[in-house]
Amino acid sequence: MHPQESERFVVCKEFFQALEACHADNWRKWTGGCNNVKTELNMCLRKVRLEASARNREHAKERRKKIENAWKELHHDD
Protein backbone atom coordinates (compact mmCIF):
# COMPACT_ATOMS: atom_id res chain seq x y z
CA MET A 1 0.00 0.00 0.00
CA HIS A 2 1.26 3.46 -0.86
CA PRO A 3 2.00 5.63 2.20
CA GLN A 4 0.06 8.54 0.68
CA GLU A 5 -3.18 6.57 0.40
CA SER A 6 -5.85 8.20 2.51
CA GLU A 7 -9.28 9.76 2.18
CA ARG A 8 -7.67 12.85 0.64
CA PHE A 9 -6.59 10.84 -2.36
CA VAL A 10 -9.81 9.01 -3.21
CA VAL A 11 -9.59 10.42 -6.75
CA CYS A 12 -6.35 8.47 -7.24
CA LYS A 13 -7.82 5.17 -6.02
CA GLU A 14 -7.63 3.48 -9.43
CA PHE A 15 -3.93 4.38 -9.65
CA PHE A 16 -3.27 2.86 -6.21
CA GLN A 17 -5.08 -0.31 -7.28
CA ALA A 18 -3.19 -0.49 -10.57
CA LEU A 19 0.15 -0.15 -8.78
CA GLU A 20 -0.77 -2.81 -6.23
CA ALA A 21 -1.82 -5.15 -9.05
CA CYS A 22 1.42 -4.47 -10.90
CA HIS A 23 3.51 -5.06 -7.77
CA ALA A 24 1.80 -8.43 -7.29
CA ASP A 25 3.95 -9.63 -10.19
CA ASN A 26 7.44 -9.63 -8.68
CA TRP A 27 9.14 -9.83 -12.07
CA ARG A 28 7.51 -6.60 -13.28
CA LYS A 29 8.02 -4.99 -9.88
CA TRP A 30 11.79 -5.56 -9.84
CA THR A 31 12.49 -5.02 -13.55
CA GLY A 32 10.82 -1.63 -13.92
CA GLY A 33 7.60 -2.88 -15.45
CA CYS A 34 5.58 -0.79 -13.00
CA ASN A 35 7.40 2.49 -13.55
CA ASN A 36 4.72 3.96 -15.82
CA VAL A 37 1.98 3.05 -13.35
CA LYS A 38 3.97 4.61 -10.53
CA THR A 39 4.51 7.78 -12.57
CA GLU A 40 0.79 8.06 -13.26
CA LEU A 41 0.06 7.66 -9.53
CA ASN A 42 2.63 10.32 -8.68
CA MET A 43 1.09 12.71 -11.22
CA CYS A 44 -2.37 12.14 -9.74
CA LEU A 45 -1.08 12.75 -6.20
CA ARG A 46 0.71 15.87 -7.40
CA LYS A 47 -2.46 17.20 -8.98
CA VAL A 48 -4.41 16.67 -5.74
CA ARG A 49 -1.64 18.34 -3.73
CA LEU A 50 -1.46 21.36 -6.04
CA GLU A 51 -5.24 21.81 -5.94
CA ALA A 52 -5.18 21.69 -2.14
CA SER A 53 -2.32 24.21 -2.05
CA ALA A 54 -4.24 26.60 -4.29
CA ARG A 55 -7.34 26.33 -2.08
CA ASN A 56 -5.27 26.90 1.05
CA ARG A 57 -3.58 29.91 -0.52
CA GLU A 58 -6.96 31.48 -1.38
CA HIS A 59 -8.27 30.85 2.14
CA ALA A 60 -5.13 32.42 3.59
CA LYS A 61 -5.62 35.52 1.41
CA GLU A 62 -9.20 35.84 2.62
CA ARG A 63 -8.17 35.46 6.27
CA ARG A 64 -5.38 37.98 5.82
CA LYS A 65 -7.78 40.48 4.24
CA LYS A 66 -10.18 40.10 7.21
CA ILE A 67 -7.31 40.65 9.66
CA GLU A 68 -6.10 43.75 7.80
CA ASN A 69 -9.64 45.18 7.73
CA ALA A 70 -10.01 44.54 11.46
CA TRP A 71 -6.73 46.38 12.12
CA LYS A 72 -7.86 49.30 9.94
CA GLU A 73 -11.14 49.56 11.83
CA LEU A 74 -9.30 49.40 15.16
CA HIS A 75 -6.97 52.23 14.16
CA HIS A 76 -9.79 54.39 12.78
CA ASP A 77 -11.58 54.24 16.12
CA ASP A 78 -8.64 55.99 17.83
Side-chain angles (χ1 to χ4, degrees):
M1 185 141 324
H2 198 281
Q4 294 292 327
E5 189 172 0
S6 70
E7 290 181 21
R8 279 182 27 185
F9 302 110
V10 172
V11 295
C12 300
K13 184 176 181 175
E14 64 274 0
F15 295 105
F16 285 115
Q17 292 170 344
L19 184 61
E20 285 183 21
C22 188
H23 280 179
D25 178 3
N26 280 330
W27 178 254
R28 288 179 65 195
K29 179 180 178 179
W30 295 111
T31 59
C34 299
N35 288 351
N36 291 337
V37 178
K38 174 97 166 124
T39 300
E40 290 173 356
L41 173 60
N42 288 340
M43 294 306 292
C44 181
L45 293 173
R46 181 178 188 268
K47 179 181 174 188
V48 171
R49 182 180 50 82
L50 291 176
E51 289 170 354
S53 294
R55 274 193 315 274
N56 290 342
R57 197 170 19 262
E58 289 303 314
H59 290 176
K61 286 179 184 178
E62 292 170 8
R63 285 191 307 268
R64 184 65 188 162
K65 187 182 286 187
K66 288 179 184 177
I67 291 170
E68 288 175 358
N69 288 338
W71 276 105
K72 286 178 185 176
E73 288 178 16
L74 182 66
H75 289 297
H76 284 296
D77 289 342
D78 291 339

